[in-house]
Amino acid sequence: MRGVPKIDHLGIAVNSLKASVPLYVALLGENPEAQEDVPSEGVRIAFFGTGTGRIELLESTREDSAIAAFLARRGPGLHHVCIVVDDVDEALRKARGAGADVLPPGVRIGAEGRRVAFLHPRTAGGVLIELAEARP
Ligand code: ZN
């Protein structure tokens, strides 16, 4: 994957997809490629674009979701940076070796049915980093 773009997407927490999507449609000139509920995370998401470098808007669907907690603490805004990896288990091993903590439960099935994991921002330079395997 040398030389290939590594930012899969930027995740932006919003209070409401309905209220937030129109600005991105205006900016990007297209409707979201996909909207999806991810019940395991308590979020509904809208993806703009295809391939790498996409924008993901995240709305909470549960009061106890991580996005609800983020919105309550910090308000809407940049929530995470997703880096695409070949093998999420291998990437976690290397990240742990470099001093990063992995958020429980570790590897999980995220949006688009992909295997993903998150690194704790406290151990990753203040940024919540999502690691996602390339789409199957
Ligand atoms: Zn994401």
Side-chain angles (χ1 to χ4, degrees):
M1 294 238 300
R2 219 177 157 75
V4 172
K6 302 291 191 193
I7 304 295
D8 187 87
H9 61 268
L10 299 178
I12 299 171
V14 301
N15 286 320
S16 155
L17 283 182
K18 194 171 186 306
S20 304
V21 160
L23 172 63
Y24 287 88
V25 171
L27 291 174
L28 303 170
E30 61 184 32
N31 288 314
E33 281 293 322
Q35 294 207 37
E36 184 184 347
D37 273 306
V38 186
S40 61
E41 306 288 335
V43 295
R44 181 175 301 117
I45 61 176
F47 269 116
F48 287 89
T50 57
T52 52
R54 293 175 298 158
I55 292 174
E56 175 187 41
L57 301 182
L58 305 108
E59 166 190 83
S60 174
T61 56
R62 264 201 334 249
E63 275 178 25
D64 63 345
S65 74
I67 292 297
F70 178 89
L71 289 167
R73 200 169 59 246
R74 304 185 39 185
L78 185 60
H79 178 258
H80 66 272
V81 173
C82 179
I83 296 173
V84 63
V85 298
D86 286 329
D87 176 340
V88 76
D89 299 300
E90 169 78 4
L92 287 185
R93 198 178 55 70
K94 289 180 179 170
R96 284 193 183 99
D101 286 340
V102 178
L103 284 177
V107 179
R108 61 194 90 176
I109 301 302
E112 305 172 305
R114 298 166 74 187
R115 298 180 74 235
V116 303
F118 291 88
L119 303 182
H120 198 298
R122 194 177 53 230
T123 59
V127 179
L128 176 60
I129 295 179
E130 178 180 10
L131 301 170
E133 287 185 359
R135 264 157 289 180

